[in-house]
Amino acid sequence: MKPTHIEHIGIAVKSLDEAIPYYEQLLGSSCYAIEEVADQRVRTAFFKIGQTKIELLESTSPEGPVGKFIEKKGEGIHHIAFAVDGLEDALEKVKAQGIRLIDEQPRKGAEGLHIAFLHPKSTFGVLTELCEDKNKTK
Ligand code: CMX
């Protein structure tokens, strides 16, 4: 497996309304999309920085993964996402290395990407996402 780039860095925040102005100033660009991912119980806000995005994550439920994360650790970096070509193959490869998968099969994430998470307990404490944009033009 050889990821092509860091697709995004996910940052857990208590409030998008409060965090967005800070990132707009820091990055010198506007938030270009806000999207709710209902099955993950988050609202997401996106910024572009080169080929990489910053994804702010606001929980819509204290029982969701980001709600639980903030309760336990507070706001901060939540996950890192690597772009790969061939997500199914990549998952098979990491599984064969003994890495624990949260998602055995890719599922739909924000922005129409196909995504799958690797468990932080087998990735040195970093919640890791692999993702593929099947609509990208090569
Ligand atoms: N980074 C590092 N460690 C994390 C973590 C994170 N983001 N989230 C949870 N953990 C750790 C916890 O600290 C805890 O560690 P300890 O046992 O040492 O205390 C352990 O993982 C278990 O955490 P938990 O709070 O009991 O939560 P669960 O086991 O129910 O779930 C996880 C943990 C990672 C499986 C779950 O959060 C998950 O499935 N995450 C993937 C999906 C996700 O995060 N979606 C939100 C973003 C969606 C998007 O980008 O669109």
Side-chain angles (χ1 to χ4, degrees), residues 14-122:
K14 288 183 184 161
S15 157
L16 288 186
D17 287 346
E18 285 177 22
I20 284 172
Y22 165 74
Y23 278 95
E24 289 191 328
Q25 260 210 332
L26 179 77
L27 302 174
S29 68
S30 301
C31 164
Y32 70 88
I34 293 185
E35 185 181 336
E36 180 158 349
V37 185
D39 71 327
Q40 293 297 304
R41 289 173 280 181
V42 288
R43 272 200 330 134
T44 60
F46 285 95
F47 298 84
K48 279 213 176 83
I49 171 156
Q51 234 189 325
T52 300
K53 296 164 194 157
I54 298 292
E55 179 187 35
L56 302 183
L57 300 156
E58 176 193 81
S59 181
T60 56
S61 154
E63 296 310 313
V66 172
K68 283 167 79 177
F69 177 87
I70 289 179
E71 176 66 29
K72 227 173 199 173
K73 302 195 189 209
E75 294 174 298
I77 293 183
H78 179 261
H79 67 269
I80 185 163
F82 296 101
V84 296
D85 292 325
L87 180 54
E88 287 85 353
D89 278 1
L91 287 175
E92 274 187 27
K93 281 186 182 133
V94 291
K95 192 175 178 182
Q97 288 175 335
I99 293 167
R100 183 168 150 202
L101 306 183
I102 293 173
D103 303 296
E104 294 276 337
Q105 297 296 327
R107 57 186 168 82
K108 281 271 173 74
E111 300 206 297
L113 295 180
H114 293 240
I115 67 165
F117 282 94
L118 314 182
H119 202 285
K121 290 291 173 198
S122 65

Side-chain angles (χ1 to χ4, degrees), residues 133-138:
D133 181 358
K134 298 221 181 204
N135 297 315
K136 80 173 175 191
T137 44
K138 289 202 176 159

